[in-house]
Amino acid sequence: MGEAVEFFHTNGFTKNCVNQTLINDIHNNDCWYEELIDVDLKWSFALNRILYKGTSEYQDIALLDTKRFGKVLVIDGKMQSAEVDEFIYHECLIHPALLCHPNPKTIFIMGGGEGSAAREALKHKSTEKVVMCDIDQEVVDFCRRYLTVNGDTFRHKKLDLVINDAKAELEESNEKFDVIVGDLADPVEGGPCYQLYTKSFYEKILKPKLNGNGIFVTQAGPAGIFTHKEVFTSIYNTIKQVFKYVMAYTAHVPSFADTWGWVMASDQPFSVNATDFDRRIDARIDGELLYLNGASFFSSTTMNKTLASSLLNETHIYTEESARFIHGHGLAYRHYCQKQESGGNHYDEEESD
């Protein structure tokens, strides 16, 4: 048996990693990062380097160079994307909505600070403007510095990069969009974006900013056989209360160690079949897609028996008062716990905006 590796009890680095200088190579093989998926389940991966580790105004952030998945972005202890397979997540997030739309010209991305969602949207020949609105300047800055694959995206003349809360930006904007994309971090208690999964946000703020045939799509969290009830079914059911036509679909993302879910919605029916989908890919997109084609997309909309039953029978509607969260906690929640330990007794809701 090999030598055991010692871990922290919460999301983070092994003790051998803690004193490593950032950016320097890690020459031994016992430096790991682990993500606490649930109280009895952890997902760990070996590191080459720690590229960045810090805390912004809104969230804990880390950029890691891993042995298996390349560069990995971690926010509030949760894997957000990995260099070797992020194309699966981002192709599924962006292309179905843009290909189902008859002529998508304007796209608004909520979140997406790493630039990959914008990169995929800019592949569409019809795209005239992509607004990428991320709340965290620090995340955007280090992604621009280290995720060089998206360098051209950040310099693209059609990209409008906005640092702001997406809710406030949409409220204040006079524009309407053909497609609005939710490329948000997963809803964790005390995280910065759980309010952007609520019925009131979808109904009162987001939907009025869509053009008449507009489409909304969002990432919707884990959708595995054991994890889909965390937030996936609730987000789906919540969106069903706001839009006439709602479609859920899933794909396995290896670096997430799970199947992932997305939800697409509109007040116009999705009348594209697999053959039309492939024709639109050929006609509309510059370059090759690595994952998505017509057959794979439409198969991804077919749920197994357990998921189909859960989606059908879900009754929970996501509100600020009855939010569901995946396992883990955001920065505001941890600040609250620290206040409690030091004698405070008030949870400031503004910390979680």
Side-chain angles (χ1 to χ4, degrees):
M1 296 290 289
E3 182 180 356
V5 177
E6 189 171 13
F7 292 103
F8 283 132
H9 294 295
T10 57
N11 287 358
F13 303 93
T14 58
K15 289 184 178 179
N16 288 335
C17 292
V18 174
N19 295 322
Q20 291 288 343
T21 303
L22 299 183
I23 315 304
N24 289 344
D25 287 337
I26 296 169
H27 295 292
N28 54 48
N29 292 319
D30 58 355
C31 189
W32 294 67
Y33 184 86
E34 66 176 21
E35 177 178 333
L36 190 64
I37 297 175
D38 211 331
V39 293
D40 59 354
L41 184 64
K42 295 179 180 179
W43 172 232
S44 58
F45 34 98
L47 303 182
N48 292 316
R49 294 186 297 168
I50 303 167
L51 296 172
Y52 184 95
K53 179 162 65 78
T55 301
S56 73
E57 180 181 355
Y58 302 101
Q59 50 208 347
D60 290 332
I61 49 181
L63 189 64
L64 314 175
D65 181 11
T66 71
K67 295 181 184 295
R68 174 61 62 95
F69 298 115
K71 293 176 183 176
V72 165
L73 175 63
V74 178
I75 292 181
D76 281 336
K78 298 295 183 182
M79 170 93 75
Q80 301 300 307
S81 74
E83 186 176 25
V84 300
D85 66 2
E86 56 86 7
F87 65 90
I88 302 173
Y89 170 92
H90 289 105
E91 287 187 16
C92 288
L93 175 69
I94 294 297
H95 297 299
L98 269 68
L99 291 168
C100 286
H101 193 283
N103 188 27
K105 295 181 178 181
T106 55
I107 298 96
F108 185 97
I109 300 172
M110 303 185 294
E114 68 181 272
S116 298
R119 179 197 69 216
E120 295 302 315
L122 289 165
K123 290 180 179 179
H124 285 252
K125 299 172 184 177
S126 63
T127 298
E128 295 180 356
K129 180 180 182 181
V130 175
V131 178
M132 186 179 85
C133 181
D134 197 286
I135 196 171
D136 201 327
Q137 179 76 63
E138 191 166 342
V139 169
V140 173
D141 286 345
F142 81 70
C143 287
R144 293 179 75 163
R145 179 178 179 183
Y146 293 112
L147 300 182
T148 54
V149 67
N150 293 330
D152 289 343
T153 299
F154 283 107
R155 293 185 293 269
H156 203 288
K157 63 182 180 180
K158 294 180 180 179
L159 178 68
D160 182 8
L161 174 59
V162 177
I163 303 300
N164 195 7
D165 172 50
K167 179 181 177 182
E169 186 68 21
L170 283 173
E171 278 185 307
E172 296 163 6
S173 175
N174 293 321
E175 289 187 78
K176 290 193 175 186
F177 300 90
D178 295 320
V179 178
I180 296 179
V181 178
D183 188 17
L184 302 164
D186 301 320
V188 295
E189 189 169 5
C193 56
Y194 76 92
Q195 295 177 356
L196 282 78
Y197 291 96
T198 61
K199 180 176 181 286
S200 61
F201 171 70
Y202 294 148
E203 190 170 48
K204 298 177 182 178
I205 299 173
L206 187 148
K207 187 176 181 180
K209 299 301 180 180
L210 282 171
N211 286 320
N213 57 356
I215 297 175
F216 168 57
V217 63
T218 185
Q219 79 91 10
I225 197 73
F226 299 122
T227 55
H228 64 278
K229 289 186 178 181
E230 291 179 1
V231 294
F232 176 61
T233 57
S234 176
I235 292 171
Y236 172 81
N237 187 58
T238 302
I239 293 173
K240 274 177 58 179
Q241 313 305 309
V242 179
F243 290 90
K244 292 180 180 178
Y245 301 94
V246 181
M247 179 183 294
Y249 55 99
T250 65
H252 180 69
V253 182
S255 62
F256 290 175
D258 207 346
T259 300
W260 215 251
W262 298 264
V263 178
M264 184 168 63
S266 179
D267 278 348
Q268 302 297 321
F270 302 115
S271 56
V272 180
N273 59 36
T275 301
D276 292 334
F277 204 83
D278 284 331
R279 287 173 180 162
R280 290 187 180 189
I281 289 174
D282 291 340
R284 294 187 183 188
I285 293 178
D286 283 325
E288 293 288 327
L289 300 185
L290 299 176
Y291 179 79
L292 204 65
N293 59 21
S296 67
F297 172 66
F298 283 93
S299 68
S300 75
T301 66
T302 302
M303 303 292 124
N304 62 57
K305 185 177 181 180
T306 297
L307 263 69
S309 176
S310 295
L311 289 170
L312 179 65
N313 295 313
E314 180 63 77
T315 60
H316 180 264
I317 297 173
Y318 212 100
T319 68
E320 293 181 16
E321 296 75 27
S322 66
R324 285 183 182 174
F325 303 105
I326 66 169
H327 186 79
H329 297 104
L331 194 61
Y333 179 88
R334 294 194 294 278
H335 284 170
Y336 165 67
C337 292
Q338 291 167 3
K339 289 178 183 178
Q340 290 290 89
E341 292 173 359
S342 62
N345 58 10
H346 178 60
Y347 181 32
D348 186 356
E349 284 291 341
E350 290 184 358
E351 290 182 349
S352 64
D353 290 348

